[in-house]
Amino acid sequence: MTDRATAVETRSLTRSYGTGRRGGSEVYALRGVDLSVGQGEVHGLLGPNGAGKTTLCRILSTILLPTSGTARIMGRDVVRDADAVKRCIGIVFGGDRGLYGRLTVGDNLRFWAALYGLRGTGLRRRCQALLERMGLAHRADDRVDTLSRGMKQRLHLARGLVADPPLLILDEPTVGMDPVAAQDFRVLVDGLRADGRTILLTTHDMAEAEAVCDRVSLVDHGRIIATRAPAGIGALISRYERIEARGVPAEVAAALPDIPGVVTVRAAAGERLRIETEDTSATRAVLRRLVAEDVTEVATSRPTLEEVYLHLIGERGMTVER
Amino acid sequence: MLARLALPAHVVRHSAANAFADMRAIYTWRTWTFGWLGRMLAQVTFFVLLGRVVAGPEHATYLVIGNALMTCVIESLTVVASTTWERTAGTLALLAAAPAGPTWVFLGRSLQWPVSGTGTSLVALFLLGPFFGVTWRPEHIPVAALLVVLTAAGTYCFGLFLAALVLNAGRLRNVVPGVTALLMMAFCGVQVPIGYWPSWIGRIADIVPLTHLLHALRALTEDASSGYVFARAALGLLVGVFWLVMAHLAFESLLHRGRRRGTVDFDP
Ligand SMILES: Nc1ncnc2c1ncn2[C@@H]1O[C@H](COP(=O)(O)OP(=O)(O)OP(=O)(O)O)[C@@H](O)[C@H]1O
Ligand SMILES: [Mg+2]
């Protein structure tokens, strides 16, 4: 057994897919992922399309075998001890597939409860409690086909919770939801954190990650390139400090890149100029210059998660590598 | 032992809720009776009349028994197509991640077909049969009904095995049950006695539950000894169980391969 306080632990986890074509090279979806998620932690996986997030979730869910490396959940190996692992995870994959449209909401949930070994009054009570918690009790006898997407996603969450698992794996749970539904969903996730559950969550929504995650891992090209708490993630790129200013005369703007330590100068929304600098002394130099030019609408800020993401991943621009 | 069987039975029951929800979505009592049942009775009648013209009126009884039992075979084989609906629903990955095995889920998932098929065959045998010279002694009726149930169940198990093979080849989902039914009609003693064909075909037909159960049903109507009828019925049951075990192995290996190749949730 590994450390009891660790819910998810992967070591050099690697997964490649054959291309299916003869002579075609392998696609590496994961290349040596080391991830450690503590019990009770809400951990976000962020990364561009094709980074390997879903592949990681699938391996942890026991529905995909790693090519090499190991993964343990609550100390149990996902390959050798898959049966035990299945009982301690709940999985929710985004999108509106994965439910039986012709069955009622209640029957869907009871079906999955039966698959996880619940029966009799225990099964009925658990399903009823979950439907109430997810705000679906009033729709229990309606066919799933008649639910909105947000409701379906809440039913998915109820399904994921049916066996009362200590670990939940949510792969893009809010994809396709309107902002209000997504917000409601986050509140539910917060409640699950309060239960003491560990949650592994993939998302493309930076605000969502910032709002619900204790820590996030940035994933790119099958590797984890950084793991930090969202609040402190700016430290990853702290040499890039940011200044935004409004009403900067063009000739001043043109001169800014010449100040030592200025990394980029570019136009931002609202006729603003965004200047990024390597260090605090460069920031000071830029501020002095702007104030000298009578530019008074100036603000400095720490990079947000979104900006860190864009710096570390998005800076590659639109290069298509695979 | 009982406790070990209780859980699968429980899973089958909840999975069957899904089967009957599908059934209700496809048929009402009215459309089942006048649509499905009517169509199948017409098909039985067609084969019987055709056989009378081609081979002579003395074959009518033979043909009506074979074709009446065949209706539950045709319907039970629909499991091949409906199992692939699980792919469309996108639930296969979730099933693969659940502790209960896929076999029990799929066993319950399409139960509407053997149940409906049993109904069709019973109507065909007991209502249509007498029009073509079949006479039912009262004490034969429960035995004949049991043979119908066993045929539907055994064919369903055989169909589950085919379904496990077809699950990764979705385009075949309607071709496979169709061709299988045609082969059974030709070679398992439905339209012509098995002895009509070379003996190796008979040996292959022996691995089909229908072959034994139809034989038992014919023996029953010909007043064979009850020992003989039960022996053939038991053989049919055994072959059905064999296919259930094969289906179980096929589903397990399908998921294992899916895990290795990354194809659990899509049709490769
Ligand atoms: N079953 C598969 N067979 C072959 N290649 C696959 C398979 N699944 C994923 N891949 C490839 O593996 C890589 C990682 O895919 P994955 O789905 O894990 O990315 P992701 O981070 O979840 O992306 P997204 O944000 O788009 O959901 C991609 O290049 C993808 O094309
Ligand atoms: Mg993904």
Side-chain angles (χ1 to χ4, degrees):
Chain A
M1 293 282 276
T2 46
D3 186 0
R4 287 193 75 193
T6 309
V8 179
E9 179 100 75
T10 74
R11 287 269 167 274
S12 314
L13 198 63
T14 299
R15 171 73 211 198
S16 65
Y17 293 105
T19 52
R21 270 172 280 121
R22 220 145 39 107
S25 59
E26 300 269 283
V27 175
Y28 276 85
L30 293 179
R31 314 166 193 242
V33 167
D34 294 311
L35 174 72
S36 173
V37 179
Q39 282 188 26
E41 178 179 337
V42 179
H43 194 101
L45 293 175
L46 298 177
N49 296 129
K53 307 175 297 291
T54 297
T55 301
L56 179 55
C57 290
R58 299 225 146 119
I59 291 176
L60 298 178
S61 314
T62 77
I63 59 176
L64 186 67
L65 296 177
T67 307
S68 65
T70 58
R72 287 168 169 275
I73 288 187
M74 304 295 162
R76 295 171 192 275
D77 189 274
V78 294
V79 179
R80 271 179 286 119
D81 220 352
D83 285 338
V85 168
K86 286 174 180 182
R87 286 174 199 284
C88 42
I89 55 172
I91 54 180
V92 177
F93 294 145
D96 46 11
R97 301 177 77 230
L99 294 168
Y100 297 109
R102 286 166 173 170
L103 278 190
T104 67
V105 171
D107 279 341
N108 260 282
L109 202 51
R110 285 186 284 272
F111 168 75
W112 290 105
L115 254 59
Y116 280 83
L118 273 75
R119 36 195 333 192
T121 43
L123 180 148
R124 276 193 298 278
R125 269 204 216 114
R126 174 116 198 104
C127 292
Q128 184 57 30
L130 279 173
L131 289 177
E132 272 160 27
R133 180 166 190 180
M134 297 298 145
L136 289 169
H138 66 296
R139 301 296 302 265
D141 298 324
D142 294 342
R143 268 171 61 160
V144 164
D145 280 339
T146 66
L147 299 189
S148 72
R149 193 156 193 175
M151 286 175 176
K152 281 183 186 160
Q153 205 54 31
R154 278 183 277 152
L155 178 55
H156 268 305
L157 192 54
R159 183 188 45 67
L161 286 167
V162 85
D164 199 13
L167 172 69
L168 267 180
I169 298 174
L170 312 178
D171 192 4
E172 294 189 42
T174 53
V175 65
M177 282 190 183
D178 72 52
V180 175
Q183 178 57 31
D184 289 348
F185 197 82
R186 278 171 219 155
V187 171
L188 288 172
V189 170
D190 254 340
L192 299 175
R193 178 220 307 272
D195 293 351
R197 273 179 240 273
T198 310
I199 298 173
L200 187 66
L201 166 98
T202 82
T203 183
H204 287 290
D205 183 334
M206 300 298 145
E208 177 169 288
E210 217 148 29
V212 303
C213 295
D214 298 314
R215 290 195 304 160
V216 296
S217 290
L218 299 184
V219 187
D220 192 23
H221 282 134
R223 289 199 178 86
I224 291 188
I225 54 178
T227 298
R228 288 288 194 298
I233 201 152
L236 275 177
I237 53 166
S238 62
R239 62 199 197 91
Y240 295 128
E241 295 187 5
R242 187 183 62 188
I243 304 151
E244 283 196 348
R246 231 173 102 102
V248 184
E251 66 278 11
V252 178
L256 286 176
D258 298 335
I259 298 176
V262 170
V263 185
T264 61
V265 177
R266 55 176 103 157
E271 287 169 16
R272 275 185 307 231
L273 202 63
R274 176 178 292 178
I275 305 114
E276 282 174 315
T277 62
E278 259 179 8
D279 51 35
T280 316
S281 68
T283 303
R284 244 183 261 128
V286 172
L287 288 175
R288 265 200 302 271
R289 179 70 193 270
L290 289 173
V291 173
E293 297 292 343
D294 271 347
V295 178
T296 50
E297 255 186 85
V298 184
T300 61
S301 64
R302 312 283 310 166
T304 60
L305 177 57
E306 178 160 8
E307 281 164 286
V308 175
Y309 179 96
L310 289 174
H311 260 296
L312 294 182
I313 293 167
E315 285 289 84
R316 292 193 278 102
M318 296 300 287
T319 53
V320 177
E321 291 182 36
R322 50 184 82 200
Chain B
M1 182 68 189
L2 267 184
R4 282 197 57 190
L5 282 178
L7 181 64
H10 184 62
V11 171
V12 171
R13 188 164 65 79
H14 279 273
S15 186
N18 215 345
F20 292 102
D22 277 338
M23 192 69 177
R24 279 192 298 275
I26 298 172
Y27 293 115
T28 62
W29 273 112
R30 197 186 294 266
T31 59
W32 186 84
T33 310
F34 296 104
W36 174 256
L37 182 65
R39 197 192 118 196
M40 292 315 275
L41 294 182
Q43 179 177 322
V44 173
T45 312
F46 170 77
F47 277 113
V48 176
L49 294 179
L50 189 70
R52 270 216 310 213
V53 172
V54 176
E58 68 279 13
H59 295 287
T61 313
Y62 185 90
L63 287 169
V64 79
I65 292 176
N67 283 289
L69 193 62
M70 189 66 208
T71 57
C72 80
V73 170
I74 292 171
E75 201 167 0
S76 296
L77 285 176
T78 312
V79 60
V80 179
S82 61
T83 298
T84 65
W85 297 351
E86 212 70 20
R87 272 227 187 279
T88 330
T91 39
L92 221 47
L94 300 174
L95 288 178
T103 310
W104 306 117
V105 174
F106 286 120
L107 186 62
R109 182 67 184 84
S110 301
L111 262 185
Q112 76 271 37
W113 310 125
V115 170
S116 157
T118 298
T120 312
S121 276
L122 290 177
V123 173
L125 278 176
F126 296 131
L127 291 185
L128 211 54
F131 284 104
F132 297 103
V134 186
T135 46
W136 293 108
R137 292 218 306 223
E139 66 271 27
H140 283 171
I141 288 178
V143 183
L146 181 68
L147 290 173
V148 170
V149 171
L150 289 179
T151 308
T155 307
Y156 183 59
C157 294
F158 178 58
L160 275 170
F161 171 74
L162 295 179
L165 303 186
V166 167
L167 204 48
N168 265 351
R171 277 159 297 146
L172 297 179
R173 69 175 178 271
N174 293 317
V175 178
V176 166
V179 170
T180 306
L182 281 179
L183 292 174
M184 284 189 186
M185 259 197 212
F187 301 120
C188 297
V190 176
Q191 314 292 13
V192 288
I194 298 172
Y196 176 85
W197 304 105
S199 64
W200 61 270
I201 288 189
R203 257 171 278 137
I204 294 176
D206 276 343
I207 58 169
V208 179
L210 169 70
T211 306
H212 304 284
L213 293 156
L214 177 56
H215 191 88
L217 185 64
R218 294 200 192 284
L220 180 75
T221 59
E222 286 155 13
D223 281 326
S225 77
S226 51
Y228 182 76
V229 172
F230 279 106
R232 283 308 286 255
L235 204 52
L237 178 66
L238 206 66
V239 175
V241 171
F242 166 77
W243 286 116
L244 182 59
V245 173
M246 291 300 286
H248 174 67
L249 297 177
F251 280 124
E252 292 289 337
S253 105
L254 177 88
L255 285 189
H256 182 73
R257 249 181 308 137
R259 286 193 172 94
R260 207 153 28 80
R261 293 194 198 152
T263 53
V264 167
D265 45 11
F266 68 86
D267 200 341

